[in-house]
């Protein structure tokens, strides 16, 4: 987990979060042909006052630097959102632990929806996930973060230069597999999708609550394995609703066409402009 990038800072605003220390390593002063006019509330209304106990982040100088990083990332996230909206694309941030089935879900989704989508992939190393999607005829671009445990708005911004958005309905940002840090960083998407797989166990919800609090929908994946694991669906639902009463919950198995159709229906209902 990051020790100095702001992961220990939490936001009071649960709608849009953001940042990473990669901010200062990129020059984004150039004009990309899509303006920086966006809702300033994404960057200026956040509160950085809540701080988990972390001695490395308890001095004023360190906090000042981190707040500047967070604010810069929020501005860039708003820029990404404006870019998506200019192309009439809805962006979804997909988050989960490693191995919960993010890429597999996106591979199989193509069979259940007419919505045209592309994927920005985030992993520490390799292009394996992007290669898998491309092999299925899905447009994908891989971000290799090196040692970073999550994507930030600047990484996603860079990927947008390599991803044609014209004609797309959806852009998925498949974040780095991690149940903690990705939830704290606004990458410029519109909604958060969180996956929890049956083999992980229902206890992960209350042990790692930040991500589930930020979820617009939770897909409980690999439900075909329920007979073989001690995963209590009723308890999982109760925990999720306690943490986040507004979140929707969908039980999913790629082997169950009806559940995949439910995923496709949720996406259709939640693209921008959907009635």
């Amino acid at each position: 987990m990051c020790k100095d990038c702001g992961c220990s800072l939490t936001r009071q605003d649960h709608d849009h979060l953001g940042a990473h220390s990669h901010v200062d390593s990129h020059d984004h002063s150039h004009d990309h042909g899509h303006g920086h006019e966006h809702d300033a509330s994404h960057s200026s209304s956040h509160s950085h006052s809540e701080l988990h106990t972390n001695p490395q982040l308890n001095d004023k100088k360190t906090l000042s630097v981190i707040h500047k990083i967070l604010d810069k990332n929020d501005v860039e996230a708003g820029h990404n959102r404006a870019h998506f909206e200019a192309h009439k694309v809805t962006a979804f941030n997909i988050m989960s632990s490693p191995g919960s089935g993010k890429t597999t879900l996106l591979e199989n989704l193509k069979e259940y929806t007419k919505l045209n989508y592309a994927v920005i992939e985030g992993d520490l190393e390799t292009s394996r996930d992007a290669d898998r999607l491309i092999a299925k005829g899905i447009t994908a671009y891989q971000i290799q973060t090196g040692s970073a445990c999550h994507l930030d708005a600047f990484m996603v911004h860079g990927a947008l230069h390599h991803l044609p958005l014209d004609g797309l309905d959806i852009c998925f940002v498949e974040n780095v597999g991690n149940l903690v840090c990705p939830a704290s960083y606004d990458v410029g998407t519109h909604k958060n999708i969180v996956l929890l797989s049956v083999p992980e166990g229902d206890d992960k919800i209350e042990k790692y609550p930040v991500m589930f609090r930020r979820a617009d929908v939770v897909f409980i994946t690999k439900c075909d394995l329920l007979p073989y694991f001690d995963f209590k669906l009723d308890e999982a639902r109760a925990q999720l609703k306690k943490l986040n009463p507004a979140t929707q919950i969908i039980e999913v198995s790629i082997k169950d066409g009806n559940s995949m159709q439910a995923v496709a229906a949720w996406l259709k209902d939640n693209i921008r402009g959907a009635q």
Side-chain angles (χ1 to χ4, degrees), residues 46-57:
H46 296 312
S47 168
H48 308 304
S49 61
E50 297 179 28
L51 178 64
H52 289 302
T53 302
N54 184 336
Q56 293 174 311
L57 299 177

Side-chain angles (χ1 to χ4, degrees), residues 115-179:
L115 296 171
N116 191 17
Y117 63 91
V119 182
I120 295 172
E121 281 284 348
D123 283 302
L124 271 67
E125 298 289 349
T126 82
S127 61
R128 291 179 182 176
D129 285 355
D131 292 342
R132 284 171 56 184
L133 294 168
I134 291 168
K136 292 279 189 176
I138 300 164
T139 301
Y141 181 80
Q142 183 76 49
I143 298 173
Q144 296 176 0
T145 67
S147 60
C149 57
H150 49 76
L151 296 179
D152 66 23
F154 288 91
M155 296 178 193
V156 172
H157 178 96
L160 290 178
H161 288 285
H162 302 274
L163 198 68
L165 296 181
D166 290 336
L168 291 182
D169 300 298
I170 292 172
C171 181
F172 292 107
V173 177
E174 184 181 333
N175 221 307
V176 177
N178 181 341
L179 268 180

